[in-house]
């Protein structure tokens, strides 16, 4: 039985990764919905709106939150749909088993898995998440109202405005999907093929494959271009420092180059959360050490 439990845990649960909550917004690095929201709002202040003539909603990368919160699972609970089921109870009789999802059963006991509520900030319509094309694990987070405002701002006076408004009305109240297949778009959202084409043209959808589409941020190509260039430049600064390491405070004070369009702190939260650098606590503060072998 012990071996079976180990196999289940290995199969269904994500392994923990090193975290560096060096700049906890909440001070004690709490991980409830309110605390994750506070962290998101802080990271939003680091987004350079003027860089895009205020045409894009503020974008936060999901992994940037990991630089502010030690518990990745707690962060994901608020913003993503988790596939990690955790065993919570063991019962010796069927009569006492509550209405949970049972994974394994023996003659003497049942191993029961609870299904806690997930992606709270997205399920209540407050937050949207997007798959970014440059990395399969890169997800953008945008507050729903910011997304609505910028999309409608960009659609003003266009023939696709009515269709986009209809899509936003379906999307924001309760939808937490990253992508949509044709059946859902036609039968649940009640869009026609022509209207789907209009949504792709407007940029709120991008083609995923035949018959399915990613939820998208219109005109986000420039953001991705600047973000990737900035990440490489900041990582280069760390790598070229003596011994390939630098104090976080020193890096924050560095003058940005032409390759770094965002605030330095925005990129620092990126490279820490994505584990492209290792965090080492010293008496002088947090030391960032370049991770050998990363190709970003």
């Amino acid at each position: 039985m012990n071996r079976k439990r180990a196999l289940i845990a290995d199969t269904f649960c994500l392994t923990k990764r090193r975290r560096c909550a060096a700049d906890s917004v909440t001070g004690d690095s709490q991980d409830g919905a309110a605390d994750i929201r506070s962290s998101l709002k802080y990271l939003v202040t680091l987004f350079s709106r003027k860089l895009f003539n205020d045409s894009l909603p503020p974008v936060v990368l999901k992994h940037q939150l990991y630089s502010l919160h030690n518990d990745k699972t707690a962060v994901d609970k608020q913003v993503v749909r988790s596939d990690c089921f955790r065993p919570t109870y063991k019962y010796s009789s069927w009569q006492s088993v509550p209405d949970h999802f049972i994974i394994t059963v023996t003659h003497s006991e049942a191993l029961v898995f609870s299904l806690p509520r997930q992606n709270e900030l997205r399920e209540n319509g407050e937050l949207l998440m997007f798959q970014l094309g440059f990395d399969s694990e890169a997800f953008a987070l945008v507050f729903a109202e910011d997304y609505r405002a910028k999309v409608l701002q960009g659609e003003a006076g266009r023939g696709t405005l009515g269709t986009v408004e209809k899509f936003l009305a379906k999307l924001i109240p309760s939808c937490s999907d990253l992508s949509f297949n044709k059946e859902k778009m036609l039968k649940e959202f009640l869009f026609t093929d022509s209207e789907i084409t209009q949504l792709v043209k407007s940029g709120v959808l991008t083609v995923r494959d035949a018959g399915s589409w990613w939820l998208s941020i219109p005109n986000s190509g420039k953001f991705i271009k600047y973000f990737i260039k900035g990440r490489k430049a900041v990582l280069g600064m760390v790598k070229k420092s003596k011994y390939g390491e630098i104090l976080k405070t020193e890096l924050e004070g560095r003058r940005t180059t032409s390759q770094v369009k965002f605030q330095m702190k925005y990129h620092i939260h990126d490279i820490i959360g994505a584990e492209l650098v290792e965090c080492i606590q010293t008496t002088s503060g947090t030391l960032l050490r370049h991770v050998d072998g990363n190709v970003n």
Side-chain angles (χ1 to χ4, degrees):
M1 184 63 184
N2 289 337
R3 181 174 178 274
K4 289 182 179 179
R5 289 179 181 174
L7 288 173
I8 292 170
D10 290 341
T11 302
F12 289 98
C13 295
L14 301 172
T15 57
K16 291 185 177 180
R17 303 167 71 186
R18 296 189 309 272
R19 299 293 163 209
C20 173
D23 285 320
S24 174
V25 172
T26 58
D28 55 359
S29 192
Q30 297 296 309
D31 300 306
D35 304 291
I36 302 302
R37 186 184 296 107
S38 295
S39 296
L40 283 166
K41 288 182 177 180
Y42 161 69
L43 291 168
V44 160
T45 66
L46 304 179
F47 183 81
S48 302
R49 295 171 183 257
K50 291 183 179 180
L51 189 59
F52 308 100
N53 296 319
D54 202 28
S55 62
L56 283 183
V59 178
V60 172
L61 279 296
K62 179 171 72 73
H63 63 257
Q64 287 177 312
L65 289 170
Y66 302 156
S67 71
L68 297 170
H69 297 268
N70 285 317
D71 190 344
K72 174 189 173 185
T73 302
V75 172
D76 287 351
K77 180 180 178 181
Q78 303 301 328
V79 299
V80 302
R81 209 181 255 125
S82 175
D83 293 321
C84 180
F85 302 114
R86 297 186 180 276
T88 53
Y89 305 103
K90 183 177 70 175
Y91 295 91
S92 58
S93 68
W94 283 102
Q95 288 75 18
S96 59
V97 175
D99 187 19
H100 287 73
F101 186 76
I102 300 173
I103 301 296
T104 59
V105 179
T106 68
H107 292 296
S108 60
E109 61 184 17
L111 184 62
V112 180
F113 286 65
S114 65
L115 301 178
R117 184 182 180 188
Q118 300 294 331
N119 52 308
E120 181 178 337
L121 293 177
R122 288 173 61 210
E123 286 185 342
N124 66 15
E126 187 174 351
L127 196 67
L128 298 173
M129 189 160 79
F130 307 82
Q131 167 71 56
L132 297 180
F134 69 90
D135 187 331
S136 62
E137 294 189 6
F139 297 94
L141 300 172
V142 176
F143 283 111
E145 286 308 311
D146 290 338
Y147 181 77
R148 182 204 297 269
K150 294 306 175 185
V151 168
L152 293 180
Q153 175 184 309
E155 284 295 306
R158 296 182 179 178
T160 52
L161 176 60
T163 303
V164 171
E165 286 179 327
K166 176 183 173 182
F167 178 72
L168 293 176
K170 298 279 188 180
L171 173 73
I172 290 179
S174 60
C175 182
S176 59
D177 292 339
L178 283 171
S179 63
F180 310 91
N181 59 35
K182 190 166 186 177
E183 181 179 5
K184 182 163 188 172
M185 291 296 293
L186 295 177
K187 296 182 179 180
E188 183 176 335
F189 283 4
L190 302 179
F191 284 101
T192 64
D193 286 329
S194 174
E195 288 175 324
I196 294 173
T197 300
Q198 291 180 43
L199 294 174
V200 173
K201 182 179 179 180
S202 70
V204 295
L205 293 179
T206 57
V207 176
R208 179 178 183 179
D209 50 39
S212 68
W213 302 266
W214 290 111
L215 180 64
S216 178
I217 305 171
N219 305 310
S220 58
K222 194 175 184 180
F223 162 78
I224 294 173
K225 176 183 176 181
Y226 287 164
F227 177 80
I228 293 173
K229 283 187 175 181
R231 170 190 274 189
K232 290 181 177 179
V234 173
L235 278 176
M237 294 178 191
V238 178
K239 186 175 183 179
K240 292 174 184 177
S241 299
K242 189 174 182 179
Y243 306 122
E245 56 190 33
I246 186 173
L247 284 171
K248 180 172 168 290
T249 52
E250 182 181 342
L251 184 59
E252 289 174 347
R254 286 278 184 95
R255 294 185 63 179
T256 57
T257 68
S258 61
Q259 299 295 309
V260 182
K261 304 291 187 181
F262 296 101
Q263 292 188 48
M264 186 63 78
K265 284 187 176 182
Y266 189 86
H267 284 297
I268 291 174
H269 285 296
D270 162 50
I271 63 176
I272 291 175
E275 296 187 335
L276 301 176
V277 294
E278 182 180 1
C279 293
I280 302 169
Q281 299 304 323
T282 72
T283 55
S284 300
T286 302
L287 188 72
L288 304 181
R289 177 178 293 165
H290 187 267
V291 176
D292 292 334
N294 81 63
V295 295
N296 296 77

